[in-house]
Amino acid sequence: GLPFPKDTPTVEPKISPDMDAKVGEYVDYCIGLAEGADMVAVEHRTNLDPAGIPGGFGTADFVVVKGCEVHIADLKYGQGVRVHAPENPQLELYGLGTYFDYDWVGGLETVVVHVVQPRLGHFDRWDFPVVQVPERVAAVQAQAAATAAPDAPRVPGEKQCQWCLAKADCPALAAQVLSEVTAMFSSLEEELEKPSDPAPVDKLTDEQIGKAYAKLGLVKAWSSAVSSKAFDLATQKKLPGYKIVAGQSRRAWDDADALEADLKGAGYTLEDYAETTVLSPAALEKRLGKKHELIAAHVVK
């Protein structure tokens, strides 16, 4: 790459040792992928027009063109949801768009998408042949056209609603949540003999508990969206009956090293302002190794 101008300020990234190590795993993966590459691109903005989404674009973390293959390696740093590569819609779009970006190279036969999720130790890949590109583009075009229709169907679900920015205003999600919740309790109305009976959950059968549990994620997503929307309205003083008040504050040091230097300068010793404890199993494993016999002998789950 080009060198930075001399007057460019140096910024020290504030990342934890764990983040440094985990992102390092992704970097090592990409370096291995790039061995023998004909072309490499980082943070590649791919045009999704040819892939069937007019005006659409995506940013692929890492792209490699190597022989007859084009590779896209996507870093997933989260650990809440395991992300799989095969038939992944996001990565399919990146793959299609990147293929069209580099089809001028000629001879490309396979699109390979990689998911690297280092905090879960999860590495996955999906290969699809270039001969499938036309039918995949046709499917994307149909889906894109359906979303633009005035009466486009809304299909709520835990997976698709989790990161949706419109869930607080989605009538389909609200209707489904209301339907699921009321259905959960309506069957109990005849069983409840008086208001002082135990909570409805205590009246549910094992089968009903199973069905209700399967819907909790969707209900939580909707509840979270309602809470966020209510906070925004209250901030603007538009939520009847509610207002923003000061909550619990959490205090922290602005610069622990500077504080320690000041305390030492004032004559305080380490025993006056610090405590020493044994590291957590995870932290100690990073220092001594995951299979250290002393750690294994004292860890309980």
Side-chain angles (χ1 to χ4, degrees):
L2 296 175
F4 286 108
K6 292 182 179 180
D7 58 349
T8 301
T10 300
V11 178
E12 289 294 331
K14 294 182 178 180
I15 61 174
S16 66
D18 183 61
M19 177 179 286
D20 182 58
K22 294 305 181 185
V23 174
E25 291 183 31
Y26 170 71
V27 173
D28 291 341
Y29 187 94
C30 291
I31 291 174
L33 193 62
E35 290 183 3
D38 301 305
M39 200 172 302
V40 172
V42 178
E43 288 293 306
H44 173 68
R45 179 174 169 129
T46 180
N47 176 21
L48 297 181
D49 277 300
I53 303 181
F57 69 91
T59 304
D61 294 338
F62 189 75
V63 175
V64 168
V65 177
K66 184 160 51 175
C68 61
E69 298 179 337
V70 56
H71 295 256
I72 300 93
D74 196 50
L75 170 64
K76 301 295 186 186
Y77 190 70
Q79 59 181 351
V81 178
R82 187 179 295 268
V83 180
H84 297 282
E87 301 295 341
N88 183 298
Q90 177 198 12
L91 297 182
E92 179 185 15
L93 290 177
Y94 285 0
L96 292 173
T98 303
Y99 164 73
F100 285 115
D101 288 339
Y102 291 100
D103 66 341
W104 56 269
V105 173
L108 294 179
E109 298 177 0
T110 309
V111 177
V112 187
V113 295
H114 305 252
V115 169
V116 181
Q117 203 166 4
R119 294 174 76 194
L120 289 180
H122 176 63
F123 303 85
D124 202 11
R125 65 177 279 171
W126 171 41
D127 304 42
F128 65 86
V130 166
V131 293
Q132 292 182 1
V133 168
E135 65 180 273
R136 290 186 176 277
V137 169
V140 171
Q141 286 176 330
Q143 293 168 350
T147 64
D151 59 344
R154 294 174 175 84
V155 186
E158 182 176 354
K159 183 177 181 180
Q160 59 267 40
C161 292
Q162 183 176 8
W163 307 116
C164 180
L165 299 179
K167 59 188 175 187
D169 304 310
C170 178
L173 175 58
Q176 180 163 334
V177 170
L178 180 63
S179 173
E180 297 292 350
V181 172
T182 54
M184 190 188 307
F185 293 106
S186 61
S187 61
L188 300 175
E189 288 181 354
E190 295 180 0
E191 299 178 26
L192 295 176
E193 298 177 358
K194 54 183 180 298
S196 59
D197 275 349
V201 172
D202 296 335
K203 295 287 187 176
L204 294 174
T205 65
D206 293 349
E207 183 179 0
Q208 288 172 321
I209 286 289
K211 290 180 178 179
Y213 187 75
K215 302 296 182 181
L216 281 185
L218 190 63
V219 174
K220 287 179 180 178
W222 179 79
S223 300
S224 175
V226 170
S227 179
S228 177
K229 186 74 172 183
F231 181 83
D232 290 341
L233 290 173
T235 302
Q236 303 169 43
K237 300 182 179 180
K238 294 181 179 179
L239 190 64
Y242 293 89
K243 64 179 180 179
I244 298 294
V245 298
Q248 179 183 4
S249 63
R250 292 182 175 86
R251 300 186 300 165
W253 303 122
D254 60 346
D255 188 331
D257 292 335
L259 169 66
E260 184 172 7
D262 288 343
L263 289 170
K264 285 182 178 178
Y268 291 99
T269 64
L270 186 66
E271 289 75 17
D272 293 324
Y273 60 81
E275 294 179 350
T276 302
T277 60
V278 177
L279 295 174
S280 69
L284 195 55
E285 283 177 342
K286 290 176 184 176
R287 293 194 181 183
L288 305 183
K290 286 189 175 182
K291 297 183 179 180
H292 197 288
E293 58 182 10
L294 293 179
I295 297 177
H298 291 279
V299 168
V300 292
K301 293 185 179 180

